[in-house]
């Protein structure tokens, strides 16, 4: 009888950390992360699992067995003995329910005949839990979604561009190199706008830049009180991406936090309407204009949601987004390049 619609707060505590989620007028947020938007779908699924869970067995245990099943509260108890406390509250922090999620129950595959191939080791098929009144149960759901790590509840949707839609990428380093990758009129690959003599594109490496923009995620969010000077975003490196639908995106990369191997980063998005289709068909033009209007609204909303935050992005992700120019090209063998030039010259007829 869990009243899901009445829940306005969820606090998940373990011996080492706490995650606090709250419902606000603008949606669910992670209070431990400066009220950053929470992953609502994940939260909804977790709460629905609580409402739908079934009791497999009522467990009769002595107080001495509470630590064995990890049904002790996290407060003042060691991690190996304590469970995960889930406290649900309503408006005004009124308590709705409190549970301790204990040890997972493991089932040996041998109990089910081992399947086609047999063996495989035990697997979790339930969990021991305790209510606030002391009653203990074995339930048929592992309830593994209830993490006490705040980062796990962040809505980490950041940027997702289809590589085929990216028409231009520009990388700029203050006081350092700058280069542009763009699609030619007849190709779908990103190519450097300026290739020196003896250079050819490494198309696979350039494609990795586009792929990195296709599923970009962040590790965590930074304290909004940090100044640009503290984060290095006063003099950032930047990567700008242009999409064929008019989307314009800029990712600014600040200072590295060495002990965490993450960079401070920020994102802005904007919209530049693409040219009208070359046609006199009024219906086709109207459809294109409506699509552009909707896309402009979507990007404005994205910029409102993400543009005011500073993120922590893994260093490997940054390296994929902003490779050194030298890694995007291959050097031709000088002798081969000379032979190619000579052959081309020999095939060119003399002018009359």
């Amino acid at each position: 009888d869990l009243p899901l619609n009445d829940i306005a707060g969820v606090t998940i505590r373990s011996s080492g950390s706490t995650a606090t989620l709250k419902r606000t007028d603008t949606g669910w947020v992670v209070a431990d992360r400066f009220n950053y938007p929470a992953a609502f779908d994940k939260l909804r699924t977790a709460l629905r699992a609580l409402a739908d869970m079934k009791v497999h067995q009522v467990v009769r245990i002595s107080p001495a067995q509470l630590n064995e099943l990890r049904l002790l509260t996290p407060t003042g108890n060691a991690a190996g003995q304590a469970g995960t406390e889930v406290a649900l509250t309503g408006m005004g922090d009124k308590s709705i329910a409190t549970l301790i999620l204990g040890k997972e129950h493991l089932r040996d595959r041998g109990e089910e005949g081992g399947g086609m191939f047999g063996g495989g080791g035990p697997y979790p098929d339930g969990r021991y839990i305790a209510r606030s009144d002391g009653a203990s149960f074995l339930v048929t759901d592992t309830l593994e979604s209830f993490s006490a790590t705040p980062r796990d509840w962040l809505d980490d949707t950041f940027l997702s561009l289809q590589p085929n839609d990216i028409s231009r990428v520009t990388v700029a380093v203050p006081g350092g190199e700058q280069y542009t990758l763009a699609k030619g009129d007849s190709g779908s690959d990103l190519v450097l706008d300026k290739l020196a003599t003896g250079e050819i594109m490494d198309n696979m490496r350039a494609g990795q830049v586009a792929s990195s923009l296709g599923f970009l995620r962040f590790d965590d969010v930074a304290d909004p009180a940090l100044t640009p000077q503290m984060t290095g975003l006063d003099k950032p490196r930047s990567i700008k991406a242009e999409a064929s639908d008019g989307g314009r995106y800029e990712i600014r990369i600040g200072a590295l936090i060495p002990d965490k191997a993450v960079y401070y980063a920020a994102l802005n998005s904007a919209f530049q309407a693409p040219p009208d289709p070359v046609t006199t068909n009024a219906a086709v033009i109207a459809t294109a204009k409506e699509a552009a209007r909707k896309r402009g609204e979507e990007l404005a909303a994205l910029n409102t949601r993400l543009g005011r935050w500073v993120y922590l992005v893994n260093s490997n992700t940054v390296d994929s987004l902003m490779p050194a120019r030298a890694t995007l090209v291959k050097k031709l063998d000088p002798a081969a390049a000379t032979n190619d030039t000579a052959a081309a010259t020999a095939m060119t007829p003399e002018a009359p």
Side-chain angles (χ1 to χ4, degrees):
D1 59 348
L2 184 66
L4 291 177
N5 293 333
D6 294 345
I7 298 173
V10 179
T11 301
I12 308 161
R13 292 194 302 130
S14 68
S15 295
S17 62
T18 300
T20 307
L21 296 91
K22 294 183 177 181
R23 190 174 67 189
T24 68
D25 292 340
T26 57
W28 282 87
V29 299
V30 183
D32 315 272
R33 285 300 183 269
F34 319 104
N35 289 335
Y36 192 84
F40 177 69
D41 286 346
K42 179 178 180 178
L43 175 61
R44 178 175 55 188
T45 299
L47 293 177
R48 173 54 62 186
L50 281 183
D52 293 344
M53 69 180 177
K54 302 294 189 293
V55 174
H56 176 70
Q57 179 183 350
V58 177
V59 183
R60 308 296 183 186
I61 59 176
S62 67
Q65 292 175 303
L66 289 175
N67 63 337
E68 180 183 345
L69 297 181
R70 297 179 188 171
L71 291 175
L72 295 173
T73 64
T75 304
N77 291 300
Q81 299 176 337
T84 298
E85 182 182 80
V86 178
L88 310 177
T89 55
M91 298 302 295
D93 290 332
K94 181 181 178 181
S95 177
I96 292 177
T98 300
L99 295 172
I100 300 295
L101 311 184
K103 190 176 182 179
E104 288 183 335
H105 179 271
L106 300 179
R107 176 181 291 275
D108 193 329
R109 295 183 191 276
E111 297 178 28
E112 300 176 348
M116 183 180 297
F117 303 102
Y123 66 96
D125 69 340
R127 193 161 190 162
Y128 293 98
I129 70 169
R131 281 196 318 226
S132 56
D133 62 5
S136 301
F137 308 89
L138 173 60
V139 297
T140 57
D141 196 307
T142 60
L143 303 172
E144 59 187 356
S145 297
F146 285 95
S147 168
T149 302
R151 186 262 168 271
D152 291 343
W153 294 99
L154 297 175
D155 180 359
D156 63 356
T157 303
F158 194 45
L159 185 60
S160 183
L161 302 179
Q162 292 298 320
N164 290 337
D165 293 338
I166 299 173
S167 57
R168 180 182 295 268
V169 173
T170 302
V171 172
V173 178
E177 65 179 5
Q178 300 187 24
Y179 60 82
T180 297
L181 293 162
K183 289 183 179 177
D185 294 333
S186 59
S188 59
D189 294 327
L190 292 172
V191 180
L192 281 167
D193 59 342
K194 295 178 181 178
L195 285 171
T197 303
E199 288 183 339
I200 60 172
M201 279 298 304
D202 185 339
N203 290 330
M204 181 177 294
R205 188 69 186 89
Q208 290 174 352
V209 176
S211 296
S212 296
L213 291 165
F215 190 73
L216 192 60
R217 295 294 182 265
F218 59 86
D219 281 19
D220 212 333
V221 291
D223 187 344
L226 294 174
T227 66
Q229 291 73 24
M230 294 175 179
T231 61
L233 289 170
D234 56 333
K235 298 177 181 178
R237 291 181 288 164
S238 71
I239 175 170
K240 296 179 180 180
E242 299 179 13
S244 56
D245 64 358
R248 300 293 183 265
Y249 310 88
E250 181 182 21
I251 303 168
R252 304 187 308 283
I253 306 297
L256 173 69
I257 306 177
D259 59 332
K260 295 183 178 179
V262 295
Y263 285 90
Y264 291 107
L267 170 70
N268 290 102
S269 62
F271 179 71
Q272 181 176 321
D276 289 338
V278 181
T279 179
T280 57
N281 188 316
V284 172
I285 294 175
T287 299
K289 286 184 177 296
E290 177 61 14
R293 183 191 67 79
K294 289 182 178 179
R295 189 61 182 143
E297 291 179 351
E298 291 171 357
L299 289 174
L302 179 69
N303 195 60
T304 298
R305 185 167 65 88
L306 302 181
R308 63 191 181 94
W309 295 95
V310 174
Y311 299 90
L312 302 180
V313 177
N314 188 275
S315 59
N316 291 331
T317 300
V318 173
D319 292 342
S320 298
L321 284 172
M322 309 180 70
R325 184 190 181 282
T327 67
L328 298 172
V329 297
K330 299 177 182 178
K331 295 289 185 179
L332 284 173
D333 179 72
T338 301
N339 292 337
D340 290 344
T341 302
T345 302
M347 294 174 62
T348 304
E350 295 183 1

